Amino acid sequence: YRTRMKMLWEDGESEGGGGSKEDGALWVGAWMEEPEVFATCTERNQFIWQHDNDFEIFLSPEGGNHNYYEYEVNALGVPFELHLDMPYSDHGHATHGTNLPNLEARVQIEGGRLNFRTVPPAVGWSLVVRVPFRDLQDLLKERDSKAWPQRGTFWRVNFSRVQWQLDADPVTGALSKKPGLPEDNWVWSPQGIVNMHRPERWGFLIFGEHPKGPGEVEIPDRFFSIKEYLMKVYHYQTDFKKANGKWATNIEEDLGVPMPEGIIQRVEFQNGRESAPEGFLLRAWPSASLGSAAGEKGEAPEVPTSDFSPSTCVCTREDGLLWVEEGAG
């Protein structure tokens, strides 16, 4: 079914001149075509996606692949909120019910009758969510000013719509899930895998003055291609260790992952780290031809430049964390 979604942001400082950045927020609006609106969960922070059709918002203000927030809501307006220090596949710890105290949400059903098949059918349902920057940053414990949205900065985000196939009682028309069938997952930015908890595959939300049209925006993370390579190596490494009981030390020979030409000048693999003797550290030094400079926490510069330090490298380790490191030699 058709899904439409829009975003806007308020910086908290523009209107009236008396506010501050901590009064700002991200607004998300979504409209979903839905001939049979189905929602049964009525208690806050139930596992909605296991029972109902829902709409889900995933936010990583740091622009990274760890430490992110998820908000789900069904057509009754019942929310589920979640904070993850890292993805489940990286042995992440999920904190359920991490409610943002000043988050606002409104849901509206258009036509039909909730949880019943009707003639004519329902048109759909819609929602508007306001996510305060202050609450989000308090939750993620990221008080660095770079993580607060400014014009030209970016977050990693995605949106998902969980959809169950439904049956209707032939007499009453009451809806229920078809037994034995998994849910469908429809997303804004394609994941390439049925797993929303892969933040490195989410889309980019760039904060600006005016909306941009198709073809007017480039990927704002100058290290994106290197991070893609490192994540590929990371997942191959975890599979290799499961099969062999150790990390592969030669990436190209053992894992079959060649170093991309033109974006990386060298790669170093370290088996074991001081704080994690059973782990590993993988560093990649970018080629000088990469172009525009961007910070690891979502800075998208307006003027391309190639004057980054030769000691700058992009790193990952045994838990999949991605980061940019200066002074690595």
Side-chain angles (χ1 to χ4, degrees):
Y1 302 119
R2 192 178 193 192
T3 307
R4 290 292 179 266
M5 185 271 299
K6 288 187 176 182
M7 292 175 279
L8 60 82
W9 69 297
E10 50 181 319
D11 63 12
E13 299 176 312
S14 299
E15 298 296 330
S20 73
K21 67 180 182 181
E22 297 205 7
D23 298 317
L26 174 69
W27 290 80
V28 178
W31 178 86
M32 289 152 283
E33 179 186 18
E34 187 80 87
E36 298 173 343
V37 181
F38 181 71
T40 62
C41 292
T42 58
E43 295 183 13
R44 190 183 190 100
N45 292 316
Q46 285 183 260
F47 290 175
I48 295 172
W49 79 95
Q50 294 181 351
H51 306 282
D52 295 345
N53 297 340
D54 74 5
F55 186 82
E56 304 180 354
I57 301 171
F58 297 83
L59 302 175
S60 174
E62 296 176 10
N65 64 330
H66 283 198
N67 196 28
Y68 59 91
Y69 168 77
E70 176 185 352
Y71 175 85
E72 303 178 10
V73 65
N74 66 7
L76 286 169
V78 176
F80 169 75
E81 295 180 76
L82 170 72
H83 170 238
L84 267 159
D85 58 350
M86 63 184 76
Y88 292 111
S89 59
D90 299 333
H91 309 289
H93 172 71
T95 304
H96 298 149
T98 51
N99 304 316
L100 302 187
N102 298 296
L103 183 144
E104 301 174 62
R106 298 289 185 273
V107 170
Q108 182 173 334
I109 299 172
E110 187 176 353
R113 180 185 174 192
L114 179 66
N115 296 331
F116 283 86
R117 180 169 293 172
T118 60
V119 179
V123 177
W125 62 291
S126 60
L127 64 95
V128 176
V129 182
R130 182 183 184 272
V131 183
F133 295 145
R134 176 175 49 195
D135 288 358
L136 193 57
Q137 304 304 336
D138 285 345
L139 170 67
L140 301 179
K141 297 180 174 58
E142 178 51 68
R143 304 301 297 181
D144 191 307
S145 62
K146 293 179 182 178
W148 290 82
Q150 303 171 40
R151 288 165 182 79
T153 62
F154 70 85
W155 290 2
R156 299 300 296 271
V157 305
N158 214 344
F159 304 89
S160 174
R161 182 176 172 183
V162 170
Q163 196 76 11
W164 294 92
Q165 296 187 43
L166 303 174
D167 275 329
D169 184 281
V171 177
T172 65
L175 297 172
S176 61
K177 294 193 303 182
K178 289 185 178 180
L181 294 179
E183 78 279 12
D184 293 317
N185 294 270
W186 304 334
V187 300
W188 171 65
S189 181
Q191 289 287 102
I193 185 173
V194 185
N195 182 359
M196 290 303 297
H197 294 277
R198 292 281 295 275
E200 76 275 9
R201 294 177 176 261
W202 295 352
F204 289 90
L205 169 60
I206 305 172
F207 294 86
E209 281 290 340
H210 307 288
K212 301 286 188 178
E216 294 184 293
V217 177
E218 296 182 353
I219 292 175
D221 186 349
R222 55 116 28 120
F223 298 122
F224 177 72
S225 297
I226 298 178
K227 292 176 180 178
E228 287 275 278
Y229 163 75
L230 292 179
M231 280 290 93
K232 184 175 183 178
V233 173
Y234 164 72
H235 288 292
Y236 275 49
Q237 278 282 27
T238 56
D239 290 343
F240 185 91
K241 186 171 185 181
K242 287 177 184 177
N244 300 280
K246 61 181 181 180
W247 303 114
T249 55
N250 191 307
I251 295 170
E252 292 199 23
E253 291 183 8
D254 297 336
L255 302 180
V257 183
M259 187 176 75
E261 296 182 5
I263 65 170
I264 297 175
Q265 58 175 309
R266 65 187 174 99
V267 173
E268 287 186 4
F269 175 80
Q270 178 181 321
N271 198 340
R273 300 185 295 115
E274 183 176 349
S275 59
E278 300 300 317
F280 73 83
L281 176 63
L282 181 63
R283 292 189 178 110
W285 279 262
S287 166
S289 63
L290 261 185
S292 63
E296 61 182 301
K297 292 186 178 179
E299 295 175 272
E302 297 179 358
V303 181
T305 178
S306 58
D307 61 353
F308 60 87
S309 168
S311 64
T312 301
C313 67
V314 188
C315 312
T316 191
R317 63 190 190 191
E318 70 284 344
D319 63 1
L321 177 67
L322 286 166
W323 75 97
V324 177
E325 187 174 289
E326 301 288 346

